[in-house]
Amino acid sequence: MDYAAGCPRCGVQAKEDCRRDDGRPRVIPHVKRLALIIAHHLLAYAVPADRATAAVQDALLLLQAQAALKAHQSPGGTEQESEILLRAACLQLHVQSALSAVNGRTLTVREQMEQAGELYEMLVTTRRTAELLHGDQIQPPHAIIEPPTVQQVRRWQELAFNDELRHRTKNRETIAISAQDPQLAPARWRIICHEPNGYFEALHRDEHGLLGPVYRGWVPVPEAVPEVLRRWSAPATRPIEVTWECTPAWPQALLPYGGWLPDHHNNDPDHVRTAGIRGAEVWQDNAEAHRERFADMMHQLRQRWPHEQSGITAFLKQEAARLNADQPQASSLPSHLTSASHRRDGSLVGLGYTVTAGWIAPITVANTGTRQWNDFANHRPKTVPAMAEALLSGDLEHALEVWSLLTAPISVVRVHGPAGPLYHLGSNGAHRLHAARLLGLPAVWTEIRQDALPLQVTFSDVTPYGARRIAADVLTPCWRGLLERGLAAGRFDDAPISAALHLDTVMAPWMLAMPDCAVTWAAAYDRAYPGALNQAGVPTSAWQDPQAWLSWLDTGKTPSS
């Protein structure tokens, strides 16, 4: 028999799965094809008699925008179709298991299972599309004659997202304006560039010459520019004035977060700039003043230095022990509290961020990524002493070279608060932050990033993995207490599974963390700004320990004295 011609039983070509490599039939011929036939009949059996397979086909056609949605379709239709597909996938698994027991071999219907999975995802998208079109979440910009395409529906959805972002921005602006102190001089900002991908540049002259004057940022809509700039105000109640010296670019779709993302369908090839900052570039704007500031810090350190050069290591060890005992570092802050974005329907959304460079006080650095001061677990242990030696015995150029402030800049993240900010380490500079704190320097040059407040925060966003079982019991009274005491504003949905705080404002992001983390940041804040928390309505007794914080926020209870 000519085996190369194909299978005489089913007519399939040679080399199919029902054949051996040499073209001859297997011992149990066509067993995989038999499995598919069984799965097909089981799938047909699983479909209720009153639900024809045309329903699934119609759903796919709808997804491709080739058929109109039926105005009176049963609300549970697509859910039933999804359930059918899931049942079919389970049946395929059972068939696979049964066939494996026939001859001890592993026979799969993986390809068909993947197809069922893809079909299920399509139906989920279809259901979401139907909900958006027939609800109030999407309003087409004009009357629809022909059925919309998926691309059109997605664009309407993105425009609805943008409208929501504008609404959230307006809420935050209203709250911020109501809290402004009219006795304070406003911080004046000039917007000199705004591009269609959301990138912008602003100028702000700090009266103390510490930060900027160049700030770069990204926002999803132009209305969010004041929101991200206002967060630089210190104190937080200081008014701002924003002057546009360019024409705002109004987005026609949901922008890729940050201005550009790999493979994002709304990337603009003509506008790909993202908001980054180079500390050396900002330094050059006022280089002579910055060099004088650094030289003056060297001079002051030498005047008050109590030891000879040979005692540098001993001094650093002694100072680290003192700080670890009296002024320990705060716990690591959950990244979501200082990152504006979250994922929604497959897209990153948030109100944006800004970056600049400037001098910050080392005492305001609450966390450097290590548990102890001057303890790097044997990672470059000679670095901090070398930096101290350069300040004490070298000239200005040598000290600047050793500290590498311009060639390998320190990176920090700004965490706003009522009287001023705290910071935590970004991507680089832990040794220099330790050196600056141990040596008592009044300032250190850094690159700074600050995000807008997140639009929503969930329990899992701020809870360590091992503590998630108790998150709801702990965070629910804390977040409700923050809202009721006026320390935060927003809407708290405490659904059992999907609890979320839709945030408009909070006095300080670290207040949303678990109590054991929040109290360490409160202590760091009180050291940097003595009495500021008490003046803002948070008494010292409230953050002495985690239980005191929980009791104080759980309104109606009093923290133990």
Side-chain angles (χ1 to χ4, degrees):
M1 181 178 292
D2 182 11
Y3 297 117
C7 178
R9 302 192 184 188
C10 66
V12 299
Q13 296 180 358
K15 304 296 184 181
E16 286 286 348
D17 288 346
C18 62
R19 316 285 297 200
R20 297 180 184 272
D21 291 341
D22 60 5
R24 292 180 299 160
R26 297 186 183 279
V27 177
I28 305 179
H30 313 98
V31 68
K32 182 173 181 180
R33 295 176 63 82
L34 177 62
L36 297 181
I37 293 173
I38 294 173
H40 172 76
H41 286 289
L42 288 173
L43 174 58
Y45 179 79
V47 178
D50 60 338
R51 301 292 297 176
T53 55
V56 178
Q57 297 172 353
D58 288 345
L60 294 175
L61 290 174
L62 170 64
L63 177 64
Q64 299 165 355
Q66 299 302 314
L69 288 169
K70 298 179 181 179
H72 303 291
Q73 185 179 15
S74 170
T78 53
E79 293 182 4
Q80 293 178 21
E81 293 154 9
S82 302
E83 182 180 354
I84 291 168
L85 289 170
L86 288 176
R87 290 170 63 186
C90 292
L91 288 169
Q92 287 175 337
L93 282 173
H94 294 157
V95 171
Q96 173 181 319
S97 176
L99 291 174
S100 299
V102 171
N103 62 352
R105 298 178 57 197
T106 301
L107 302 172
T108 70
V109 287
R110 180 179 303 167
E111 180 180 350
Q112 287 69 31
M113 290 175 63
E114 290 176 352
Q115 292 174 355
E118 292 173 0
L119 188 59
Y120 172 68
E121 292 179 1
M122 288 180 180
L123 288 176
V124 171
T125 303
T126 301
R127 182 175 61 186
R128 178 62 175 157
T129 302
E131 291 173 352
L132 292 171
L133 283 174
H134 286 274
D136 296 328
Q137 300 183 50
I138 283 186
Q139 296 295 330
H142 50 75
I144 301 176
I145 300 177
E146 296 294 331
T149 64
V150 174
Q151 289 75 16
Q152 286 177 312
V153 173
R154 179 163 63 179
R155 182 171 179 271
W156 296 339
Q157 183 185 33
E158 292 179 351
L159 292 176
F161 280 170
N162 284 346
D163 288 341
E164 181 181 341
L165 293 173
R166 292 187 178 96
H167 176 71
R168 296 293 298 275
T169 297
K170 182 178 180 181
N171 286 349
R172 293 186 176 189
E173 186 70 4
T174 300
I175 294 171
I177 291 175
S178 67
Q180 287 180 170
D181 185 349
Q183 303 300 319
L184 298 175
R188 293 180 171 84
W189 295 86
R190 297 162 49 209
I191 312 303
I192 61 174
C193 171
H194 184 243
E195 299 185 355
N197 69 338
Y199 169 86
F200 74 93
E201 293 182 3
L203 296 178
H204 170 60
R205 291 288 175 181
D206 176 15
E207 56 267 32
H208 303 295
L210 296 175
L211 301 180
V214 177
Y215 293 72
R216 296 188 178 123
W218 177 86
V219 288
V221 291
E223 293 90 339
V225 168
E227 153 71 10
V228 296
L229 297 182
R230 185 183 298 277
R231 290 172 58 78
W232 292 92
S233 295
T237 54
R238 184 183 183 185
I240 67 169
E241 292 181 359
V242 178
T243 302
W244 286 81
E245 299 181 358
C246 61
T247 302
W250 306 99
Q252 300 303 310
L254 185 68
L255 298 178
Y257 193 85
W260 186 90
L261 288 173
D263 301 322
H264 196 282
H265 60 281
N266 287 331
N267 282 336
D268 185 345
D270 296 325
H271 298 90
V272 297
R273 281 204 290 181
T274 57
I277 202 76
R278 292 181 66 249
E281 176 186 351
V282 180
W283 176 285
Q284 293 305 322
D285 186 78
N286 200 7
E288 194 57 37
H290 295 320
R291 290 171 59 87
E292 289 180 4
R293 185 185 298 273
F294 194 79
D296 184 60
M297 289 192 297
M298 293 175 62
H299 176 70
Q300 292 181 24
L301 177 62
R302 293 177 181 184
Q303 281 192 323
R304 57 183 171 79
W305 185 252
H307 302 279
E308 297 298 329
Q309 183 172 326
S310 59
I312 288 178
T313 301
F315 172 83
L316 293 174
K317 183 177 181 179
Q318 177 182 344
E319 189 65 11
R322 183 185 70 82
L323 290 177
N324 288 328
D326 301 335
Q327 302 180 31
Q329 294 191 43
S331 302
S332 295
L333 196 63
S335 60
H336 189 76
L337 294 181
T338 55
S339 175
S341 65
H342 70 278
R343 191 164 293 279
R344 175 171 169 179
D345 287 348
S347 298
L348 283 177
V349 294
L351 291 181
Y353 61 92
T354 43
V355 293
T356 191
W359 298 95
I360 67 171
I363 195 173
T364 61
V365 179
N367 180 275
T368 65
T370 65
R371 294 177 179 271
Q372 301 281 320
W373 290 108
N374 204 32
D375 183 357
F376 300 96
N378 295 321
H379 175 59
R380 293 163 46 197
K382 297 181 180 180
T383 300
V384 173
M387 291 177 178
E389 182 177 352
L391 294 178
L392 290 167
S393 60
D395 58 24
L396 176 60
E397 298 302 329
H398 175 68
L400 285 172
E401 180 181 356
V402 171
W403 278 68
S404 304
L405 295 177
L406 306 184
T407 56
I410 301 170
S411 166
V412 296
V413 174
R414 191 178 192 269
V415 184
H416 85 275
L422 292 179
Y423 300 89
H424 69 74
L425 178 69
S427 58
N428 189 39
H431 288 82
R432 284 168 289 177
L433 290 175
H434 281 244
R437 186 67 191 278
L438 294 170
L439 296 171
L441 300 185
V444 63
W445 182 263
T446 62
E447 293 179 353
I448 311 166
R449 170 168 172 149
Q450 179 173 231
D451 282 49
L453 283 173
L455 293 169
Q456 71 174 38
V457 185
T458 66
F459 293 157
S460 60
D461 290 332
V462 301
T463 308
Y465 180 78
R468 290 183 180 177
R469 298 178 66 180
I470 62 170
D473 294 337
V474 175
L475 289 175
T476 296
C478 287
W479 290 0
R480 288 198 178 281
L482 290 171
L483 293 170
E484 293 174 9
R485 290 182 177 274
L487 302 176
R491 175 173 55 85
F492 181 37
D493 292 335
D494 58 350
I497 298 178
S498 57
L501 175 60
H502 302 274
L503 193 62
D504 287 327
T505 188
V506 66
M507 180 179 291
W510 49 261
M511 290 183 172
L512 299 172
M514 291 287 282
D516 56 346
C517 175
V519 297
T520 65
W521 278 79
Y525 200 88
D526 191 64
R527 289 193 292 269
Y529 306 96
L533 288 178
N534 188 69
Q535 186 176 357
V538 184
T540 304
S541 59
W543 47 266
Q544 291 307 297
D545 57 65
Q547 185 56 48
W549 181 252
L550 178 59
S551 297
W552 183 71
L553 286 176
D554 192 0
T555 52
K557 299 182 180 180
T558 328
S560 55
S561 57

